Structure formats: structure tokens, C-alpha cells
Amino acid sequence: MSRHVAIVTDSTAYLPARTMERHGITAVPLTVVLGDRALEEGTEISTRSLAQALQKRRPVTTSRPSPALFADTYRRVAESGAAGIVSLHLSAELSGTYDAAVLAAREAPVPVRVVDTGMIAMALGFCALAAAETSEAGGTVDEAVTAAEKRAADTSAYFYVDTLDYLRRGGRIGAAQALLGSALAVKPLLQLAGGRIEPLEKVRTASKAIARLEEIAADRAGGAEVDVAVHHLAAPERASALADRLRTRLPGLSELHVSEVGAVIGAHTGPGLLGVVVSAR
């Protein structure tokens, strides 16, 4: 049994299943609470079910994985032959997932480095891939952590949402900011900054906001070699069209992923979400 550095992340990385399998990445699921039912993201609730619940204004909340679930994951990964584990998670400003992982890491049978990437969605996924590629090349735990942190520093995430109401309900953006957006009837653009979701710009219409999102992503990429992810919730046509335009605009584009976000992010952004992650290689 080979001894290697294993990579663990969480379900909000939204990595394609085949990519995770190819690189041996393990994802610990967060939980979506729909009414009185607690459902694991990725296996027990679909984004379609979530979108329908949100549109009907049913109560939806999210919950971190338990330390016990992390402990069980670390044990299984160690038993599979890992000599060490790098555990990479969504921003601690947005979730208690990092704290739960830290608690579990103290009792793990092999050394575990838990990293708050400050990222979410494929911004987190690209960090996990960087760590996995370093491990596959024979890198140590420290080298895998360094690769993930460097990737995080070179990654930006931008989002368009139809309304700030869902972010306000979940406490991810201030009530005053949400009220201002509604009062002015504007379409908000957001960014991930310092591990938090922050307002970036306000645009008058959805079409102008999406065009501006494209401009921001193209400016951020410039001519550098980049990987890009386009995310959406219940907006596949918008996402596909945006991805097509970015393919023609980014001369250094390496990989482009198009995917629907899972239920955890969707619960806080609502249907109509469109996001772009730009990650320099």
C-alpha cells in the first residue's frame, strides 16, 4: 500500500465527480435543512428541488459537517494508505466547516493540515486540484498546502444574483445593503473578498449586469494562462452563453468548467445565480 498525501475538501468545491475520482480527492458533505429535513448536499437534495423550495419561500438553512463526520473521513483516508492529509475548505467567514475539521484533525491517526482557503465553489475546487497535483508529483504535506494557498491567492470569484434577498436571509450580506439594492431596483454584482461575499457593482438591468460580469472576468484574466469556471443556479442557458463568449475572449484559457452550484451555495444566492471563477495557473 503506497503512502501518499491525501486531499480532502468539502462538497462546496463542486468538483466534477470524475475529476475527484481521477485525483483521489475526498469531499465531506455539508447539510441543507429543508423544513424539518436535514439533507446531505450532493446526494440527498437536488438543485432543482432546492430552487423550487426557494421560489415557494419555504424555509431553507445550511449546516456544517460534524466533527465526527470529519473524524470518520480522516480515519478512512488514513486506512487507504495516506501518510498525511491536507484538508481544504470553504471560507471560515461563511461556514463553520473549517472549525469542525480542525477539531477532528486533533484526533486523526495521521497528520492533518486544515486550511481555510477563503474560497468557495470552484475557487475552492481549483485549490484542491493544485494540492492534488502536487501530491501526485510526490510532494509533501507542506508543499501541497503551499500549492493550494498560492492558487487561492491567484483566484478571483465574481457573482451576479437576481436579488440580494437570499443572502440577506442567510446573514451573508447586510440588511442595509440588501435593502439598498431592492430600493434602487438594481441588479447586484458581488465578489469574494477576504473570504466574504462583498458588493462589487450595481447595474440597472440583468442583461447589462451579465455583460459587465463578462467584462470583469476578461479583465481579470488578461492574457495570462487561466482556468475558469462558470457557475449557475437554474440558469443553464445564461451560463452556457457566457461560457461561449469567454472562450472567444480569453487567449490564455486552459480549462473551462460549466456547472450548476449545489444546494448549499444555492440556498444563499437563489435561482438565477451566475458566477465566474478565474484562477491563474
Side-chain angles (χ1 to χ4, degrees):
M1 185 165 25
S2 63
R3 306 295 289 174
H4 62 282
V5 175
I7 309 303
V8 172
T9 187
D10 59 67
S11 59
T12 68
Y14 301 137
L15 285 163
R18 286 183 295 181
T19 300
M20 291 180 59
E21 183 177 354
R22 183 167 68 250
H23 293 282
I25 299 171
T26 301
V28 178
L30 275 73
T31 299
V32 177
V33 181
L34 186 57
D36 59 355
R37 300 175 63 207
L39 306 166
E40 283 191 356
E41 181 176 43
T43 58
E44 296 180 339
I45 181 170
S46 68
T47 50
R48 181 177 180 182
S49 297
L50 171 78
Q52 291 173 341
L54 291 172
Q55 288 164 344
K56 294 176 181 178
R57 301 188 71 82
R58 294 179 61 190
V60 180
T61 58
T62 59
S63 176
R64 71 177 192 179
S66 68
L69 181 55
F70 272 112
D72 181 61
T73 300
Y74 295 152
R75 177 186 55 77
R76 288 188 290 104
V77 170
E79 289 174 352
S80 73
I85 298 170
V86 176
S87 198
L88 302 157
H89 300 293
L90 80 159
S91 172
E93 294 283 350
L94 302 175
S95 168
T97 299
Y98 168 80
D99 294 332
V102 168
L103 288 172
R106 295 172 183 167
E107 307 299 328
V110 297
V112 180
R113 285 280 300 278
V114 183
V115 179
D116 171 14
T117 65
M119 300 283 110
I120 198 166
M122 272 299 292
L124 168 59
F126 287 133
C127 294
L129 284 174
E133 289 165 358
T134 299
S135 172
E136 290 162 6
T140 65
V141 166
D142 286 346
E143 288 168 339
V145 169
T146 297
E149 291 177 338
K150 183 179 185 306
R151 196 69 187 259
D154 292 335
T155 297
S156 300
Y158 308 99
F159 308 95
Y160 160 82
V161 291
D162 277 332
T163 173
L164 291 172
D165 189 44
Y166 298 103
L167 285 161
R168 178 193 58 78
R169 285 190 230 168
R172 265 58 180 188
I173 200 166
Q177 292 170 333
L179 180 62
L180 180 62
S182 300
L184 295 177
V186 296
K187 295 299 183 181
L189 293 177
L190 310 167
Q191 65 178 335
L192 193 60
R196 299 185 179 191
I197 297 173
E198 301 284 357
L200 179 61
E201 295 182 8
K202 296 184 178 73
V203 186
R204 284 294 180 183
T205 66
S207 60
K208 289 181 179 178
I210 294 169
R212 181 62 184 141
L213 180 65
E214 177 186 338
E215 291 291 334
I216 291 168
D219 288 346
R220 172 64 179 81
E225 184 179 4
V226 295
D227 294 327
V228 171
V230 175
H231 288 305
H232 72 92
L233 179 64
E237 296 85 3
R238 278 180 176 175
S240 179
L242 176 57
D244 287 344
R245 293 194 298 272
L246 289 173
R247 282 190 185 94
T248 66
R249 293 195 61 168
L250 306 184
L253 182 63
S254 180
E255 293 187 12
L256 177 61
H257 302 263
V258 181
S259 66
E260 191 164 31
V261 299
V264 168
I265 291 182
H268 295 292
T269 60
L273 163 75
L274 200 59
V276 180
V277 176
V278 180
S279 183
R281 279 182 168 261

